[in-house]
Amino acid sequence: MKEIRILEFEQLVMARLTSPRDYAGRSLVLWNADYMDYGIAYRVIEQCCERYNKENPNDQVWFKRSDMTFYKDDYTQPQTWHERMVWDEDFKEYVPCNELKRCGILFNTGCYFSDDQQDEWLRFVNTHTNKSGGVFQDCAVIVCAQAGGMSYFGPSNPKYNLKEEQFGENCDIYHIQPTIEEWAKWAEQFYGSEIIKVVRAYIEKNGVGVIRGFDYWMRVMMKLVSILEEHNVCSLSQIPESEVSSEIGAWVTVEHPDFCKFIYSILEDNPSKE
């Protein structure tokens, strides 16, 4: 397994979009990467597709998120229908629009119904085939390997924890592990400086590897943004600490009971100028 930075992952994705047949039959496996839309992997893949489309107007691509029905979904077609939301000037709202595009990236979440399906999932990753046939050769495969024994339904039996040797020679296994400086700079495009500042300070206090890494903290920052929006304010300092603590979610306060108190101590020492 190789550790890579965010920029290196971007380069790997762009190479697969630009020359997909060079990677036909190969899987890019992301060790313990989050597949949600706030995660590094999802956002980088999405941005790479957007960049590719701007540079290649005659070869438009999109990426398909493959989930628990991986074993039967049809990935054999050169083009597939993709739904996106577009602004309708007449109705003054976003409406769905269906487009036929090449699926440039098949992004599998690493989720399956139960531990018993792990072997079937590994066969799919290692062979690019399922009940519907083989993955189309112009569609690169990127998968998340939830290696820590986490299934769709929560912690799984430790005997099902994934190991590198379960993946074939056609699998390139990477762990996205940016420096905190790279991560904070990259995250500026999604979150305000105050939120990045307080979360970064907490990570630096406790260590980069605290709990589940940077994807976990991307989710925390997303929640902090939603709290700001719900209260219609620009700074967390405008909301009582007790309210943020009650709204941020038990998944944070249980794992990090000192988190809210810590970020408010940072805000008090460095009041927002917004």
Side-chain angles (χ1 to χ4, degrees), residues 3-274:
E3 284 196 353
I4 56 174
R5 308 302 187 206
I6 296 174
L7 178 59
E8 291 175 282
F9 179 55
E10 290 177 353
Q11 293 168 343
L12 292 173
V13 176
M14 288 304 299
R16 283 158 174 77
L17 289 172
T18 304
S19 304
R21 297 194 182 186
D22 290 347
Y23 302 92
R26 301 200 65 80
S27 292
L28 195 164
V29 179
L30 302 176
W31 208 249
N32 278 335
D34 199 315
Y35 58 84
M36 293 298 290
D37 56 7
Y38 54 73
I40 294 173
Y42 186 103
R43 280 179 156 154
V44 167
I45 293 171
E46 184 175 51
Q47 289 179 325
C48 285
C49 287
E50 291 172 353
R51 174 182 159 190
Y52 182 87
N53 287 340
K54 288 180 181 178
E55 297 173 354
N56 299 274
N58 296 321
D59 181 30
Q60 296 291 285
V61 301
W62 68 292
F63 78 95
K64 179 178 180 63
R65 184 155 62 175
S66 161
D67 201 32
M68 292 183 294
T69 55
F70 68 90
Y71 63 94
K72 65 177 182 179
D73 288 339
D74 187 355
Y75 306 125
T76 65
Q77 303 303 309
Q79 290 185 313
T80 54
W81 288 103
H82 166 55
E83 182 180 281
R84 69 184 181 96
M85 302 302 289
V86 298
W87 180 256
D88 188 304
E89 188 61 33
D90 293 332
F91 292 96
K92 305 298 182 183
E93 63 181 7
Y94 283 96
V95 297
C97 173
N98 288 312
E99 301 173 315
L100 193 61
K101 290 184 178 181
R102 171 166 69 88
C103 180
I105 302 290
L106 180 63
F107 183 46
N108 183 266
T109 64
C111 290
Y112 30 86
F113 286 109
S114 66
D115 289 329
D116 294 337
Q117 276 196 306
Q118 187 183 90
D119 287 342
E120 191 168 13
W121 177 78
L122 284 165
R123 280 194 299 273
F124 173 69
V125 175
N126 289 332
T127 68
H128 289 198
T129 59
N130 64 8
K131 293 179 179 179
S132 295
V135 176
F136 183 65
Q137 61 183 347
D138 285 348
C139 181
V141 175
I142 300 177
V143 303
C144 294
Q146 310 302 332
M150 292 297 293
S151 72
Y152 179 74
F153 299 105
S156 62
N157 189 321
K159 78 174 185 177
Y160 291 103
N161 286 4
L162 291 170
K163 302 175 181 63
E164 286 187 69
E165 54 265 29
Q166 292 174 280
F167 295 88
E169 293 183 358
N170 67 313
C171 295
D172 304 312
I173 306 176
Y174 297 97
H175 178 216
I176 302 174
Q177 185 60 45
T179 64
I180 193 166
E181 289 79 13
E182 183 197 19
W183 171 76
K185 182 68 176 175
W186 178 80
E188 287 177 356
Q189 60 191 305
F190 307 110
Y191 302 108
S193 59
E194 178 186 86
I195 287 178
I196 293 175
K197 176 181 69 178
V198 296
V199 172
R200 176 176 179 170
Y202 188 82
I203 295 172
E204 290 177 330
K205 170 178 174 282
N206 292 278
V208 172
V210 62
I211 299 297
R212 301 184 189 94
F214 288 116
D215 281 331
Y216 175 90
W217 294 106
M218 296 289 284
R219 181 184 176 194
V220 172
M221 292 196 293
M222 180 184 70
K223 182 59 180 176
L224 290 174
V225 168
S226 71
I227 292 172
L228 288 174
E229 291 174 348
E230 288 167 8
H231 287 263
N232 196 28
V233 296
C234 298
S235 170
L236 293 169
S237 61
Q238 297 172 269
I239 310 171
E241 177 188 335
S242 59
E243 289 188 33
V244 173
S245 182
S246 66
E247 293 178 27
I248 198 170
W251 56 278
V252 178
T253 54
V254 169
E255 294 170 337
H256 303 285
D258 64 330
F259 177 67
C260 286
K261 188 172 292 297
F262 176 84
I263 64 174
Y264 272 83
S265 70
I266 297 293
L267 292 174
E268 289 171 3
D269 292 339
N270 301 278
S272 173
K273 295 180 181 180
E274 294 182 278

